[in-house]
Short mmCIF file of all heavy atoms in Angstrom, two decimals:
data_model
loop_
_atom_site.label_atom_id
_atom_site.label_comp_id
_atom_site.label_asym_id
_atom_site.label_seq_id
_atom_site.Cartn_x
_atom_site.Cartn_y
_atom_site.Cartn_z
N VAL A 28 102.45 46.17 -50.05
CA VAL A 28 102.97 44.98 -50.63
C VAL A 28 104.06 44.40 -49.81
O VAL A 28 104.54 45.08 -48.88
CB VAL A 28 103.59 45.21 -52.07
CG1 VAL A 28 102.52 45.74 -53.05
CG2 VAL A 28 104.73 46.25 -52.06
N LYS A 29 104.59 43.28 -50.08
CA LYS A 29 105.58 42.55 -49.30
C LYS A 29 106.59 42.12 -50.36
O LYS A 29 106.31 41.66 -51.39
CB LYS A 29 105.18 41.45 -48.48
CG LYS A 29 104.24 41.86 -47.37
CD LYS A 29 103.96 40.67 -46.49
CE LYS A 29 103.04 41.12 -45.32
NZ LYS A 29 102.77 40.08 -44.35
N GLY A 30 107.89 42.16 -50.06
CA GLY A 30 108.96 41.65 -51.03
C GLY A 30 110.28 41.69 -50.32
O GLY A 30 110.42 42.06 -49.18
N PHE A 31 111.32 41.27 -50.97
CA PHE A 31 112.67 41.40 -50.57
C PHE A 31 113.51 41.66 -51.82
O PHE A 31 113.20 41.42 -52.89
CB PHE A 31 113.14 40.13 -49.79
CG PHE A 31 113.25 38.86 -50.72
CD1 PHE A 31 114.42 38.68 -51.26
CD2 PHE A 31 112.19 38.13 -50.92
CE1 PHE A 31 114.71 37.49 -52.08
CE2 PHE A 31 112.33 36.96 -51.75
CZ PHE A 31 113.54 36.64 -52.28
N GLY A 32 114.72 42.22 -51.52
CA GLY A 32 115.75 42.47 -52.57
C GLY A 32 117.05 42.06 -51.87
O GLY A 32 117.24 40.99 -51.34
N ARG A 33 118.01 42.92 -51.95
CA ARG A 33 119.40 42.58 -51.35
C ARG A 33 119.25 42.35 -49.83
O ARG A 33 120.19 41.74 -49.24
CB ARG A 33 120.31 43.61 -51.70
CG ARG A 33 120.81 43.67 -53.12
CD ARG A 33 121.78 44.66 -53.40
NE ARG A 33 122.23 44.67 -54.80
CZ ARG A 33 122.77 45.68 -55.36
NH1 ARG A 33 123.21 46.69 -54.69
NH2 ARG A 33 123.00 45.56 -56.69
N GLN A 34 118.21 43.00 -49.25
CA GLN A 34 118.09 42.86 -47.65
C GLN A 34 117.93 41.40 -47.32
O GLN A 34 118.28 41.02 -46.21
CB GLN A 34 116.79 43.65 -47.31
CG GLN A 34 117.05 45.13 -46.98
CD GLN A 34 115.81 45.59 -46.47
OE1 GLN A 34 114.87 45.91 -47.39
NE2 GLN A 34 115.60 45.97 -45.35
N LYS A 35 117.30 40.63 -48.13
CA LYS A 35 116.98 39.11 -47.91
C LYS A 35 116.13 38.99 -46.57
O LYS A 35 116.28 38.03 -45.89
CB LYS A 35 118.23 38.31 -47.75
CG LYS A 35 119.08 38.43 -49.00
CD LYS A 35 118.62 37.48 -50.12
CE LYS A 35 119.60 37.28 -51.14
NZ LYS A 35 119.46 38.08 -52.40
N GLY A 36 115.32 39.94 -46.23
CA GLY A 36 114.65 39.89 -45.00
C GLY A 36 115.41 40.08 -43.73
O GLY A 36 116.57 40.73 -43.77
N HIS A 37 115.00 39.74 -42.58
CA HIS A 37 115.64 39.96 -41.32
C HIS A 37 115.17 39.00 -40.39
O HIS A 37 114.14 38.29 -40.48
CB HIS A 37 115.60 41.39 -40.94
CG HIS A 37 114.22 41.83 -40.47
ND1 HIS A 37 113.24 42.29 -41.45
CD2 HIS A 37 113.56 41.81 -39.26
CE1 HIS A 37 112.10 42.62 -40.79
NE2 HIS A 37 112.27 42.30 -39.49
N THR A 38 115.77 38.88 -39.19
CA THR A 38 115.31 38.03 -38.12
C THR A 38 114.74 38.76 -37.00
O THR A 38 115.19 40.08 -36.84
CB THR A 38 116.55 37.18 -37.46
OG1 THR A 38 117.52 38.15 -36.99
CG2 THR A 38 117.05 36.33 -38.60
N GLU A 39 113.82 38.36 -36.36
CA GLU A 39 113.16 38.99 -35.16
C GLU A 39 113.06 37.97 -34.03
O GLU A 39 113.05 36.86 -34.22
CB GLU A 39 111.69 39.49 -35.57
CG GLU A 39 111.79 40.64 -36.56
CD GLU A 39 110.37 41.23 -36.79
OE1 GLU A 39 109.40 40.75 -36.11
OE2 GLU A 39 110.27 42.19 -37.60
N LEU A 40 112.78 38.58 -32.86
CA LEU A 40 112.68 37.81 -31.61
C LEU A 40 111.34 37.94 -31.11
O LEU A 40 110.78 39.02 -30.99
CB LEU A 40 113.69 38.28 -30.62
CG LEU A 40 113.97 37.48 -29.43
CD1 LEU A 40 114.53 36.15 -29.86
CD2 LEU A 40 114.92 38.19 -28.57
N TYR A 41 110.57 36.84 -30.96
CA TYR A 41 109.23 36.80 -30.47
C TYR A 41 109.08 35.85 -29.35
O TYR A 41 109.27 34.66 -29.54
CB TYR A 41 108.19 36.62 -31.61
CG TYR A 41 106.78 36.51 -31.13
CD1 TYR A 41 106.02 37.70 -30.83
CD2 TYR A 41 106.06 35.36 -31.04
CE1 TYR A 41 104.84 37.78 -30.46
CE2 TYR A 41 104.77 35.29 -30.75
CZ TYR A 41 104.14 36.53 -30.30
OH TYR A 41 102.77 36.53 -29.97
N ARG A 42 108.73 36.20 -28.10
CA ARG A 42 108.58 35.35 -27.07
C ARG A 42 109.80 34.45 -26.85
O ARG A 42 109.69 33.28 -26.63
CB ARG A 42 107.40 34.53 -27.06
CG ARG A 42 106.08 35.43 -26.97
CD ARG A 42 104.89 34.69 -26.81
NE ARG A 42 103.73 35.55 -26.65
CZ ARG A 42 102.42 35.02 -26.51
NH1 ARG A 42 102.27 33.76 -26.50
NH2 ARG A 42 101.53 35.90 -26.44
N GLY A 43 110.93 35.06 -27.02
CA GLY A 43 112.24 34.23 -26.79
C GLY A 43 112.63 33.32 -27.98
O GLY A 43 113.68 32.89 -27.96
N ALA A 44 111.82 33.25 -29.11
CA ALA A 44 112.29 32.49 -30.16
C ALA A 44 112.71 33.39 -31.35
O ALA A 44 111.97 34.39 -31.59
CB ALA A 44 111.11 31.59 -30.66
N GLU A 45 113.57 33.05 -31.98
CA GLU A 45 114.03 33.89 -33.07
C GLU A 45 113.43 33.30 -34.46
O GLU A 45 113.36 32.01 -34.61
CB GLU A 45 115.59 33.82 -33.32
CG GLU A 45 116.19 34.75 -34.28
CD GLU A 45 117.68 34.73 -34.17
OE1 GLU A 45 118.27 35.39 -33.35
OE2 GLU A 45 118.32 33.97 -35.00
N TYR A 46 112.92 34.13 -35.25
CA TYR A 46 112.36 33.68 -36.51
C TYR A 46 112.69 34.66 -37.67
O TYR A 46 113.14 35.78 -37.47
CB TYR A 46 110.87 33.44 -36.48
CG TYR A 46 110.08 34.77 -36.23
CD1 TYR A 46 109.56 35.34 -37.27
CD2 TYR A 46 109.87 35.31 -35.05
CE1 TYR A 46 108.72 36.47 -37.05
CE2 TYR A 46 109.21 36.37 -34.81
CZ TYR A 46 108.58 36.99 -35.83
OH TYR A 46 107.87 38.08 -35.68
N VAL A 47 112.64 34.08 -38.87
CA VAL A 47 113.15 34.90 -40.03
C VAL A 47 111.88 35.53 -40.79
O VAL A 47 111.01 34.85 -40.94
CB VAL A 47 113.93 33.96 -41.10
CG1 VAL A 47 114.25 34.75 -42.25
CG2 VAL A 47 115.10 33.41 -40.32
N VAL A 48 111.95 36.74 -40.98
CA VAL A 48 110.98 37.47 -41.84
C VAL A 48 111.50 37.49 -43.18
O VAL A 48 112.44 38.29 -43.45
CB VAL A 48 110.65 38.87 -41.32
CG1 VAL A 48 109.61 39.55 -42.08
CG2 VAL A 48 110.15 38.61 -39.88
N ASP A 49 111.02 36.76 -44.14
CA ASP A 49 111.53 36.69 -45.50
C ASP A 49 111.00 37.88 -46.34
O ASP A 49 111.73 38.41 -47.11
CB ASP A 49 111.09 35.40 -46.18
CG ASP A 49 111.83 34.25 -45.60
OD1 ASP A 49 113.05 34.31 -45.14
OD2 ASP A 49 111.29 33.11 -45.66
N PHE A 50 109.79 38.26 -46.22
CA PHE A 50 109.25 39.39 -46.99
C PHE A 50 108.95 40.51 -46.04
O PHE A 50 108.25 40.45 -44.97
CB PHE A 50 107.91 38.94 -47.58
CG PHE A 50 108.10 37.86 -48.65
CD1 PHE A 50 107.88 36.53 -48.43
CD2 PHE A 50 108.32 38.26 -50.00
CE1 PHE A 50 108.13 35.56 -49.29
CE2 PHE A 50 108.53 37.23 -50.87
CZ PHE A 50 108.42 35.93 -50.61
N LEU A 51 109.49 41.67 -46.50
CA LEU A 51 109.44 42.93 -45.72
C LEU A 51 108.22 43.80 -46.29
O LEU A 51 108.05 43.76 -47.48
CB LEU A 51 110.77 43.71 -45.80
CG LEU A 51 112.01 43.01 -45.34
CD1 LEU A 51 113.15 43.71 -45.60
CD2 LEU A 51 111.86 42.69 -43.78
N PRO A 52 107.54 44.43 -45.35
CA PRO A 52 106.55 45.32 -45.77
C PRO A 52 107.02 46.60 -46.60
O PRO A 52 107.88 47.20 -46.07
CB PRO A 52 105.75 45.70 -44.51
CG PRO A 52 106.73 45.63 -43.41
CD PRO A 52 107.75 44.43 -44.02
N LYS A 53 106.33 46.83 -47.80
CA LYS A 53 106.70 47.98 -48.46
C LYS A 53 105.49 48.70 -48.91
O LYS A 53 104.29 48.04 -48.89
CB LYS A 53 107.54 47.64 -49.72
CG LYS A 53 108.90 46.76 -49.38
CD LYS A 53 109.92 47.83 -48.86
CE LYS A 53 111.15 47.13 -48.61
NZ LYS A 53 112.22 47.93 -48.14
N VAL A 54 105.61 49.79 -49.61
CA VAL A 54 104.47 50.44 -50.36
C VAL A 54 104.92 50.55 -51.73
O VAL A 54 105.99 51.02 -52.15
CB VAL A 54 104.14 51.86 -49.61
CG1 VAL A 54 103.13 52.51 -50.44
CG2 VAL A 54 103.58 51.63 -48.22
N LYS A 55 103.92 50.19 -52.60
CA LYS A 55 104.15 50.34 -54.05
C LYS A 55 103.22 51.47 -54.51
O LYS A 55 101.99 51.57 -54.34
CB LYS A 55 103.70 49.14 -54.79
CG LYS A 55 103.83 49.17 -56.36
CD LYS A 55 103.45 47.92 -56.92
CE LYS A 55 103.42 48.02 -58.49
NZ LYS A 55 102.84 46.87 -59.12
#
């Protein structure tokens, strides 16, 4: 599953561009 809580996602760097990952991978 994917989701978010207090973490609110995170930012990643891909080919020099920064983007926000809103939903994080989890296992239910």
Side-chain angles (χ1 to χ4, degrees):
V28 297
K29 292 183 179 188
F31 70 91
R33 289 186 182 162
Q34 275 180 287
K35 304 277 194 261
H37 65 277
T38 58
E39 289 189 2
L40 196 61
Y41 179 71
R42 293 189 178 180
E45 191 173 276
Y46 65 99
V47 176
V48 178
D49 291 328
F50 292 94
L51 300 171
K53 301 288 183 176
V54 172
K55 177 182 172 188

